[in-house]
Amino acid sequence: MNGKENDSHLYHLKTFEQEYFVFNDDNWIIIIGADNVIETAFLSKNTKNYLSPVKGYNYLGKVKEVLE
């Protein structure tokens, strides 16, 4: 999970103490806290459903776009 073509999201709900950065490549989802600790990493058959805005995930863009 180190490609600049991977998608990036910001994940936050009112009950969270911090924001989370989420990266996916259509197979893997990795969630990293703003404190730089990896919270979880897992395979997902349907990343688009999992990373729904309704669930608190906000799409930021491809990694390369966010870093520009």
Side-chain angles (χ1 to χ4, degrees):
M1 179 65 82
N2 60 5
K4 291 184 179 180
E5 293 296 324
N6 294 331
D7 290 321
S8 60
H9 305 259
L10 187 62
Y11 180 43
H12 184 76
L13 296 174
K14 291 179 185 178
T15 57
F16 291 177
E17 293 181 16
Q18 67 177 340
E19 293 179 327
Y20 294 88
F21 303 98
V22 183
F23 303 94
N24 76 289
D25 67 357
D26 292 328
N27 292 309
W28 283 93
I29 295 175
I30 298 176
I31 301 176
I32 303 170
D35 60 359
N36 296 320
V37 174
I38 295 175
E39 295 292 328
T40 190
F42 56 93
L43 283 168
S44 178
K45 292 181 181 179
N46 194 337
T47 58
K48 291 184 193 238
N49 279 348
Y50 190 92
L51 300 172
S52 166
V54 174
K55 297 178 184 177
Y57 295 93
N58 295 302
Y59 183 70
L60 299 175
K62 300 284 185 189
V63 170
K64 69 179 182 180
E65 298 166 346
V66 174
L67 295 177
E68 290 179 344

